[in-house]
């Protein structure tokens, strides 16, 4: 009997591991860019994230000086400051794969033809008013494009996070990135969960379970190392944002 019980328990533990592993979803950080002819935040990176069946493709958004939305990470890229330059100057920047720096409109038009979810990070702008204008523009464009059920919004800015929660359709996932709110506080804000640097979860592993108990999700970024990926998968992390989506997919398949 004892041996039978042991075998049964082992099967149960293994099954739980498999179930947990299958639950972890892959988000490509700035798209899938570490591959041929791609570049961070390029339309190609979005297409390539979709082509390898990532749950989502993350990208960064700025509001230009003429109140247009562009896709880029750095505040200043190739000599152009996004916030203080017009759309024409931002769009004229050539990415490392030869593409023009995309407008959000172009990004969404391509996204509409794909399946991967669009994980939109609004960067911290110099004033709250700029961020409100950006959120208003993003929410409006999303509606016009018919992409409301494909979007998730994330930000390091507390103001932008609150504005997404206020203005996006109810039920749209909104996550805060800065790592300094407890799961209970995130719940009170109306966030969908904790979307924190993985070291925050290493410091507070109990937050993963706390989020789940509160009915929220857990996303860790930017996880590029196999050991860290495994640590997070074992603890039931819902999403992992990574520059190495193929590595992560391989680990999930092994489990
Ligand atoms: Mg980002």
């Amino acid at each position: 009997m004892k041996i039978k019980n042991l075998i049964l328990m082992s099967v149960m533990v293994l099954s739980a591991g498999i179930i947990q592993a299958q639950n972890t979803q892959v988000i490509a950080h700035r798209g899938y860019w570490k591959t041929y002819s791609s570049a961070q935040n390029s339309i190609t990176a979005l297409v390539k994230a979709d082509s390898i069946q990532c749950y989502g493709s993350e990208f960064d958004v700025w509001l230009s000086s003429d109140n247009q939305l562009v896709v880029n990470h750095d505040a200043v890229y190739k000599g152009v400051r996004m916030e203080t330059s017009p759309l024409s100057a931002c769009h004229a920047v050539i990415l490392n794969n030869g593409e023009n720096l995309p407008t959000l409109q172009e990004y969404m038009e391509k996204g509409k033809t794909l399946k991967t979810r669009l994980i939109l990070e609004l960067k911290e702008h110099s004033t709250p008013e700029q961020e409100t204008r950006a959120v208003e523009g993003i929410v409006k464009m999303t509606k016009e494009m018919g992409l409301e059920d494909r979007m998730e919004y994330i930000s390091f800015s507390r103001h932008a996070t609150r504005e997404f929660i206020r203005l996006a359709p109810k039920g749209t996932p909104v996550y805060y990135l800065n790592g300094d709110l407890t799961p209970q506080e995130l719940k009170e804000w109306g966030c969908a969960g904790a979307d924190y640097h993985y070291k925050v979860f290493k410091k507070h592993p109990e937050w993963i379970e706390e989020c789940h108990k509160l009915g929220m999700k857990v996303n860790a970024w930017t996880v590029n190392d196999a050991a860290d990926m495994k640590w997070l998968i074992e603890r039931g992390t819902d999403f992992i944002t990574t520059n190495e989506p193929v590595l992560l997919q391989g680990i999930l398949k092994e489990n």
Side-chain angles (χ1 to χ4, degrees):
M1 276 301 280
K2 272 186 181 172
I3 290 171
K4 265 191 186 172
N5 282 344
L6 266 175
I7 292 168
L8 190 64
M9 270 183 67
S10 308
V11 169
M12 282 168 73
V13 168
L14 277 172
S15 308
I18 289 164
I19 289 161
Q20 255 181 14
Q22 284 171 341
N23 282 346
T24 303
Q25 303 279 358
V26 181
I27 296 174
H29 181 240
R30 304 181 197 171
Y32 180 27
W33 55 271
K34 286 178 86 172
T35 183
Y36 175 72
S37 79
S38 193
Q40 294 188 10
N41 282 318
S42 65
I43 287 176
T44 302
L46 171 66
V47 172
K48 286 189 182 274
D50 182 75
S51 75
I52 57 166
Q53 286 91 44
C54 288
Y55 163 88
S57 189
E58 189 262 359
F59 56 98
D60 305 287
V61 169
W62 286 97
L63 189 70
S64 66
S65 63
D66 48 355
N67 293 321
Q68 302 297 310
L69 295 154
V70 294
V71 177
N72 183 61
H73 180 268
D74 296 355
V76 181
Y77 190 53
K78 301 201 176 182
V80 176
R81 182 173 289 278
M82 301 294 136
E83 260 192 282
T84 54
S85 306
L87 176 74
S88 55
C90 298
H91 190 50
V93 172
I94 304 295
L95 305 183
N96 290 343
N97 68 342
E99 273 179 45
N100 283 86
L101 189 148
T103 65
L104 182 60
Q105 178 83 31
E106 290 171 334
Y107 220 77
M108 284 193 175
E109 276 166 13
K110 181 51 79 177
K112 205 169 157 58
T113 69
L114 308 171
K115 285 199 171 122
T116 193
R117 287 179 71 78
L118 304 173
I119 316 296
L120 186 157
E121 179 185 345
L122 182 63
K123 302 310 290 182
E124 281 191 289
H125 287 61
S126 32
T127 67
E129 290 76 20
Q130 283 279 87
E131 291 181 351
T132 295
R133 269 196 294 278
V135 172
E136 285 169 348
I138 290 163
V139 169
K140 184 167 176 274
M141 191 184 289
T142 299
K143 189 175 181 194
E144 285 167 0
M145 298 287 295
L147 280 167
E148 285 175 315
D149 59 350
R150 295 267 311 284
M151 304 299 298
E152 301 191 14
Y153 299 120
I154 62 177
S155 189
F156 280 95
S157 158
R158 289 186 173 211
H159 178 74
T161 303
R162 283 204 181 101
E163 290 296 73
F164 276 126
I165 291 167
R166 184 172 72 86
L167 294 167
K170 207 173 175 343
T172 307
V174 178
Y175 294 89
Y176 173 65
L177 298 169
N178 207 34
D180 56 347
L181 290 177
T182 65
Q184 187 60 47
E185 286 169 323
L186 291 170
K187 182 77 181 175
E188 284 159 16
W189 276 44
C191 288
D195 189 349
Y196 290 165
H197 191 273
Y198 70 94
K199 284 185 181 163
V200 174
F201 296 119
K202 291 225 164 158
K203 196 176 165 195
H204 294 286
E206 75 282 4
W207 282 7
I208 297 174
E209 205 184 324
E210 275 179 52
C211 281
H212 289 157
K213 279 187 182 157
L214 290 165
M216 297 193 299
K217 303 282 190 189
V218 175
N219 185 348
W221 51 268
T222 298
V223 189
N224 303 320
D225 177 81
D228 294 323
M229 289 171 179
K230 284 175 187 165
W231 189 91
L232 291 159
I233 292 164
E234 281 164 12
R235 281 155 187 81
T237 304
D238 301 280
F239 310 100
I240 294 177
T241 302
T242 178
N243 290 330
E244 304 286 354
V246 175
L247 172 68
L248 177 55
Q249 286 173 336
I251 290 169
L252 288 166
K253 269 189 202 138
E254 274 170 26
N255 283 326

